Amino acid sequence: MSDNSSTGKSYLDSAIASGQSALGTLTGNTGDKAEASARKDQAAAEKEASNTIGKMGPLNVSPSGGVSTDDPNRSEGSWNQTLGSAKESLGGLLGSESLKKEGTQQNAEGKGQEAQGQLSDLGSGVQDRIKGTLGGIGASITGDREKEEEYRIKHDDAKTKQRSAEADMRKQAEA
């Protein structure tokens, strides 16, 4: 894959940097230690870039050029949460317990619906990344550059879908 923001590559670079740092410490070579430090910084930047997603509504874009759209349940669930919260607030202001209760229920249903969409995107993203990777390897072995490019795009789009779902889940967990 031509993606320079690979999570796997960042882990490999980080492990190499740790070994290089240990070697520099053992030998007293400050050059090795400085190079290891720079490589660790590079690995951290690669990992960060690998997890970066641009999002505009249900459309997601990654630095690798991957593009994906969210499962409709994600945006519909988010909208139901917003409406539910509004009904809860309005019910509280007006003293209407039934409207408040209806809002609470709609909010909860929206959370479940959004989670269902996130899990769908996460699962299909992982599955399609694997298909893209394996297909790309097969196409590379047979020398079919056109298919190799198709599988690279499939991989990158799936990675974008997966990372978008992970970012939204992380954001909700932190809230």
Side-chain angles (χ1 to χ4, degrees), residues 136-155:
I137 291 169
S140 178
I141 290 170
T142 62
D144 188 341
R145 298 295 168 234
E146 193 174 301
K147 278 288 189 197
E148 191 175 354
E149 179 64 12
E150 283 179 33
Y151 282 116
R152 184 197 61 77
I153 292 168
K154 181 180 188 80
H155 169 273

Side-chain angles (χ1 to χ4, degrees), residues 47-64:
K47 183 176 182 199
E48 180 67 26
S50 176
N51 287 290
T52 301
I53 295 294
K55 190 168 182 70
M56 182 175 221
L59 183 65
N60 309 294
V61 182
S62 71
S64 67

